[in-house]
Structure formats: C-alpha cells, structure tokens
Amino acid sequence: MFSRPFRRLAPALGLLCLCGTISSWSAWSLAATAQIGPQMNVALSGDWRSRLAPLLPVSGQVAQVMETRARFSMTEVRRRVLDAGGDPRLLDQMQVSAERGVAPLYDKRFKIGENDFRRYLVIQQELQPSGKSVRLSVVKSSTRLTFGDAGGTSLLRGISLDLVSGEMRFPEGYSALPEAFNITAAQAAAAEDPLGKRSGYVWKVRGNTPVTFTALNGHFALLSMGDGSVLISYNRNGIVNGTVSSGNLILNFTSPVPK
C-alpha cells in the first residue's frame, strides 16, 4: 500500500475535495488537478463497465483506513532566508521540528517578511495507513452495487451505484453522475505531486430540500493508483432532518480484479 505524500495544491478535490471539510484534503486533492467537464456522462462510453470493474470492492474485502498527516517543506524558505542573511541555525532547528510535523512559526531573525515566509512555506499532506483496517460490505448484482457496513464504514452505508448508467445514489435522496479522472505520471511530476499517476471516476453530489431541512454536499471517488491499489474516498457535509453532520473516509485496498 502506498504511503507517498500528497502535496496540497490549490484546493479544488474545491471539490479532498473530496467538499468543504475531504476535508480540504481531498477535495480532493486526489482529483484536484485534471478534471473532465461535469457535463460529460462518461458512463455512456462503451468501455465503462470494463474500466470500472477493477475499482469495485467485493464483499468482505479488507481495506486499510488511510489518514493524512501534515508535512512542511522549507526548501524555498531556507533559500530566501539565507539570501537575506538570516540565522541558519534557526533554520536547522525549525527543520527538525518540521520533520516531526510541527508547523514552523515565523521569526524576525529570518530577516524576511512574515507574508513572504508564509508564501514560501510549502504545506504537504502525507497519506498513510492509520493502522486500522475494515472489511467492506457490498451487495452486487449485474446492474447495481450497494455499500453496507460491516463495521467502520457507516459513512458508505446505503450508497448505491448503477453499473450501467454510472449514476450514484446517496441515502439522503440525491444522486450524481460520474466524471472521468486521469492524471498521468508526467502531469504528476510537472505538478510536483508525489501521489503519482492515478485514474478513475469521481461523483460530486449537491442537493437540498428545504421542506425537510435536508441537504448534501459530497465528493466520492474511486481511483486506481500507480502502485496498483484502489482508493475509495468519500467526504460529505450534510443536513438530515435539520441535523448537521459531516464525515470523511479514505480507504485503500488491493483490487480483486486483474488490471
């Protein structure tokens, strides 16, 4: 399973992501760079099902729960501070803390402005296994796949995917069509995106029903990663019968279908 860091580019996944909280990360961050226009119904393409099949889990599939951890790159900060005659020892001390995930703080001894310091500091997110695993529960027929909850995946429970049209329906009563997603190795390298090449589909669901005080803003992704694994990510902010709730779940598993 991969543990490569993800550089937080302009928050789009605005979607991580993945919707407000994919948690800014997802918005997905996983889908932040190369998106297909939302009007394209990729489910109508002839190879839809063959391309989707390797991304779908089977019931009982073991998946690792992934989490994001902050990482701070001070390469550009160091260059700017040294050019300005700042204290290199302070930089070394801060670098050690940054490698432990401690956010670097501005210091006047850097001899650059605070706004410049913030601009040159690169914030990254490492996507790593949390140490927890779950068993996915799915009910699959020739035309539909529905997620259940065997423990630890309640956020997915009730989400249903039409394997013919590609429409995904959510328990709140809203639905979304898929958008094709693809980032090549060259694109990832050019964007300094250590997550590497990946491809698959994303569903961005938006809906609200004032009469029942229900609303949903969510982002669901099924992606094939460069190391051969599959990533499921779902981030949601919603209101159900007037109760506000949010959630984020990122799972990584080995595809049961040969690619």
Side-chain angles (χ1 to χ4, degrees), residues 1-176:
M1 298 299 180
F2 64 90
S3 59
R4 291 169 291 177
F6 164 75
R7 175 169 180 166
R8 190 167 63 190
L9 308 173
L13 266 161
L15 302 164
L16 340 321
C17 279
L18 259 222
C19 130
T21 318
I22 233 131
S23 297
S24 292
W25 182 81
S26 255
W28 230 60
S29 7
L30 295 178
T33 8
Q35 298 178 39
I36 303 299
Q39 300 304 316
M40 178 177 291
N41 183 2
V42 298
L44 299 181
S45 62
D47 62 349
W48 160 256
R49 297 188 71 172
S50 63
R51 293 168 61 188
L52 178 69
L55 305 179
L56 299 177
V58 297
S59 195
Q61 174 82 49
V62 176
Q64 290 194 59
V65 179
M66 309 299 290
E67 63 183 13
T68 57
R69 299 172 188 171
R71 178 179 176 181
F72 306 92
S73 174
M74 295 183 58
T75 302
E76 187 63 16
V77 169
R78 175 178 290 275
R79 187 175 74 83
R80 300 281 179 167
V81 169
L82 293 178
D83 287 348
D87 187 345
R89 293 172 298 179
L90 180 61
L91 284 171
D92 292 339
Q93 294 170 4
M94 194 164 292
Q95 181 67 48
V96 172
S97 297
E99 290 174 353
R100 296 200 303 263
V102 179
L105 300 177
Y106 174 73
D107 192 301
K108 291 182 178 180
R109 289 173 290 176
F110 284 145
K111 296 186 178 180
I112 63 174
E114 184 172 0
N115 288 338
D116 288 337
F117 170 78
R118 291 177 178 175
R119 184 164 67 251
Y120 300 138
L121 180 66
V122 175
I123 302 176
Q124 298 175 314
Q125 295 290 334
E126 288 185 336
L127 183 61
Q128 299 181 347
S130 67
K132 300 178 181 178
S133 61
V134 296
R135 286 191 178 276
L136 290 167
S137 172
V138 298
V139 176
K140 184 176 180 294
S141 68
S142 61
T143 59
R144 181 171 296 278
L145 180 145
T146 302
F147 287 93
D149 177 23
T153 60
S154 59
L155 198 66
L156 303 180
R157 185 174 56 231
I159 295 177
S160 178
L161 174 62
D162 187 314
L163 301 177
V164 177
S165 70
E167 181 185 55
M168 183 172 284
R169 295 197 61 83
F170 297 81
E172 294 83 358
Y174 308 110
S175 62

